[in-house]
Amino acid sequence: MALLQLRDLNKHFGGLHVTNSVNLVLEQGEIHCLIGPNGAGKSTLFRLILGEHQPGSGQICFAGEDITALKSFARIRRGLSVKFQVPGVFKGLSVRQNLEIALQSRLHGGELVQEIDRLLAFLGLAAEQAQTAGNLSHGQKQWLEIGMAIALKPRLLLLDEPTAGMSPEETHMTGEMVRRLNALGMTVLAIEHDMAFVRQVAQRVTVLHLGQVFAQGSIDEIVADERVAAIYLGQTHA
Amino acid sequence: MSVIVSLLRRLEGPQTLGRGRGFWSLFALVLGGAVAYPLFSDGYTVGNTVYFFVWVFIALSLSLIWGYGGSLSFGQTAFFGIAGYGYGILTINFGAGYGFTWVALLLAIAFAALFALLLGYFMFFGRIAGVFLGIVTLAVTLMLERFMAQTAGPEWHIGAARLNGFNGMSAMPPLMIPWFDEPIVLFADIGLYYVVLGMLVVVYLGLRVLMNSSFGNVIVAIRENPERAEMLGYDIRKYQLITFVIGAALAGLSGVLYTVWGQYITPSSMGMTAAALPLIWVAVGGRSDLTTTVIGTLVVLSGFQALTIYGSQYALVFMGVLLVATVLVAPNGLVLGIINWITRLARRRKQEAA
């Protein structure tokens, strides 16, 4: 069953056609990676899905419902969740409070406390729970934000460069984290540049180029595709 | 019963300084001192002390909107004025009998809150944020001052209440508690002192509970990162609007109490100086905490008052210097800075001893 469907989505910024007739179907339960050179329109596509930008034309359907006109918070409440490219934690608040704010609309009292502890352990941040989130290392901030995103128990998790700035070991750990979440039934759409990560997690890959869907397939198909290699090398007329 | 217990538990939390037996003992001590104070003083001095308390509510409203919510508002002074004038207009028209002064107090606060609801709706849902929120609210405040200042003519009246332009409105009745033979009139002395002190304690504790609740969590989350807060499923504009309205009601309470204290209200209470001073008290104290806001406001205000006696207009210059010094030395507030410094020192002592 399709969880997310983008139908003929278009977005212009002035004269720039950043999203050009994008059609994308995300199946329930898959891990889907979105790759493409800088400026391909990946983050814009996320912003369209999240309702931070309104598309010029086209339709976004989530779990069979047209959500194109919904505000961001309403989309989140329907089961979307996101981790931004730049870590978007609440820097002045403690790690624990960050998670509490993410969880409090779903859980209360003792259940809330238990779930915070469980998440802290899952993220490997139990020792840092009293620290101010702004003092965490970059990788820890990324994990904390992933923790906040999954705290909502989303049906679809959007990850915008979840491993940016991480060491190879941290990247691998993040990959394992994503696979575990997927095993629990979460559908994942991730923007990622790190091909090792894509290879580790992706079941399907979509290549975006100049705002258009350029290629789609398994990771092996994409890697074998000479046209994809060409756009990454800058031969945009391929 | 369990509701009360859970409310009491929220008196302490990550959003407010002070916890445990030590803090609450100190709180009880200070409160006891405040309760006993009129016994050792005369009615006139006690009446003047009420004047300081009156301003704490508007300071707390700024702490809520600016310190916790992250939106700098100059509008508090406008709400202050609206409620002050509202009380005057209501009581001059309908008198003070049968406890009506209290109804007038509530209605005047409701006027201010309603005005904030309208203004806030257009600002927050029109996506006005950051410095622009400050500019819009300042414009509204100054506009109200200008408008009220030109109402000197006899054609400017609401019922029996003349607005009186720059001279302002006066001779409205003070608050009165209905009693058997004769109502108890709360002039600016001991009676009013206890009433305002009681309100102060209720508002302070109430705000502590509110800020440590899940609502307070969302408010500080919006201050820290509005986009992230929205992407956790919170309708942030609604939360900002509710905070703004609560803040307006508190500023309105200040306005009404100011009006009943001196039995007058003038347009200059909505002027530039009046709009800037609360910002300074709150910034100096430490806007992101209720307790430091209260302490900062009382200390700076009484210092300012003493300076005005000896240095008249130079007191304002000093306030400006104080603000600049705060921004440079302790951007989060001097009182908050000192408290944090003491806590760090105590912790280090403890570690060294261990």
Side-chain angles (χ1 to χ4, degrees), chain A residues 47 50 52 71-73 76-77 82 84 88-93 97 100-102 104-105 145 148 152, chain B residues 14-15 127 213-215 217-218 220-221 223-225 227-235 237-238:
Chain A
R47 291 189 185 281
L50 289 164
E52 287 191 296
K71 290 211 171 82
S72 296
F73 72 88
I76 300 295
R77 286 186 195 167
V82 62
F84 293 113
V89 295
F90 303 122
K91 285 186 194 146
L93 309 180
Q97 223 185 331
E100 183 181 330
I101 291 167
Q104 66 178 19
S105 45
E145 204 194 355
M148 289 160 77
L152 304 179
Chain B
Q15 249 83 265
R127 310 228 169 193
S213 69
S214 54
F215 179 86
N217 270 343
V218 178
V220 293
R223 174 191 69 197
E224 294 292 319
N225 190 335
E227 191 188 22
R228 180 73 267 175
E230 170 139 27
M231 290 304 168
L232 291 175
Y234 296 111
D235 186 355
R237 283 161 289 276
K238 199 175 80 188

Side-chain angles (χ1 to χ4, degrees), chain A residues 143-156:
Chain A
W143 284 331
L144 176 58
E145 204 194 355
I146 292 174
M148 289 160 77
I150 63 176
L152 304 179
K153 275 213 168 159
R155 299 179 66 183
L156 172 59

Side-chain angles (χ1 to χ4, degrees), chain B residues 39-53:
Chain B
L39 302 177
F40 305 99
S41 188
D42 59 287
Y44 178 74
T45 318
V46 171
N48 284 346
T49 313
V50 176
Y51 175 81
F52 297 127
F53 287 179

Side-chain angles (χ1 to χ4, degrees), chain B residues 8-326:
Chain B
L8 286 180
R9 203 169 293 142
R10 295 206 189 288
L11 283 171
E12 296 180 356
Q15 249 83 265
T16 51
L17 279 181
R19 66 186 62 213
R21 201 167 283 172
F23 173 77
W24 292 108
S25 309
L26 194 65
F27 175 81
L29 207 66
V30 171
L31 185 60
V35 170
Y37 165 66
L39 302 177
F40 305 99
S41 188
D42 59 287
Y44 178 74
T45 318
V46 171
N48 284 346
T49 313
V50 176
Y51 175 81
F52 297 127
F53 287 179
V54 161
W55 292 105
V56 176
F57 300 98
I58 196 172
L60 284 172
S61 83
L62 253 182
S63 168
L64 183 69
I65 294 175
W66 183 30
Y68 285 93
S71 313
L72 175 56
S73 162
F74 286 95
Q76 305 320 101
T77 322
F79 309 136
F80 178 98
I82 288 171
Y85 272 99
Y87 177 84
I89 291 163
L90 284 167
T91 48
I92 287 174
N93 276 302
F94 299 107
Y98 311 105
F100 181 74
T101 51
W102 297 94
V103 178
L105 176 136
L106 291 176
L107 282 176
I109 292 171
F111 288 159
L114 197 66
F115 182 69
L117 187 68
L118 273 173
L119 178 65
Y121 176 80
F122 287 111
M123 287 195 308
F124 294 118
F125 286 83
R127 310 228 169 193
I128 292 174
V131 68
F132 297 103
L133 200 82
I135 293 170
V136 172
T137 48
L138 181 61
V140 168
T141 302
L142 296 183
M143 203 177 68
L144 274 177
E145 185 211 12
R146 285 292 115 194
F147 176 79
M148 291 314 289
Q150 54 86 52
T151 57
E155 70 274 25
W156 292 102
H157 65 90
I158 297 174
R162 280 275 303 272
L163 297 180
N164 279 335
F166 214 85
N167 292 327
M169 198 186 261
S170 58
M172 58 285 282
L175 289 171
M176 290 181 201
I177 301 171
W179 207 248
F180 299 105
D181 304 326
E182 216 178 318
I184 302 170
V185 184
L186 299 171
F187 289 112
D189 57 23
I190 295 170
L192 190 63
Y193 175 86
Y194 281 118
V195 168
V196 176
L197 180 65
M199 287 180 179
L200 200 57
V201 172
V202 169
V203 166
Y204 170 75
L205 294 179
L207 284 177
R208 280 186 79 105
V209 170
L210 181 72
M211 290 327 291
N212 287 319
S213 69
S214 54
F215 179 86
N217 270 343
V218 178
I219 294 306
V220 293
I222 293 170
R223 174 191 69 197
E224 294 292 319
N225 190 335
E227 191 188 22
R228 180 73 267 175
E230 170 139 27
M231 290 304 168
L232 291 175
Y234 296 111
D235 186 355
I236 60 170
R237 283 161 289 276
K238 199 175 80 188
Y239 280 89
Q240 285 174 314
L241 184 58
I242 294 171
T243 316
F244 194 65
V245 171
I246 296 173
L250 284 175
L253 178 58
S254 251
V256 173
L257 293 177
Y258 174 83
T259 308
V260 300
W261 175 82
Q263 290 172 264
Y264 65 81
I265 177 104
T266 66
S268 58
S269 62
M270 291 185 275
M272 185 69 215
T273 315
L277 284 176
L279 252 67
I280 299 178
W281 311 328
V282 174
V284 169
R287 62 183 184 276
S288 58
D289 186 76
L290 296 169
T291 314
T292 55
T293 296
V294 174
I295 297 172
T297 302
L298 290 175
V299 168
V300 177
L301 198 55
S302 45
F304 178 67
Q305 214 61 16
L307 275 174
T308 328
I309 294 167
Y310 299 110
S312 66
Q313 289 297 315
Y314 288 109
L316 282 173
V317 177
F318 177 76
M319 293 299 274
V321 172
L322 190 61
L323 181 64
V324 173
T326 304

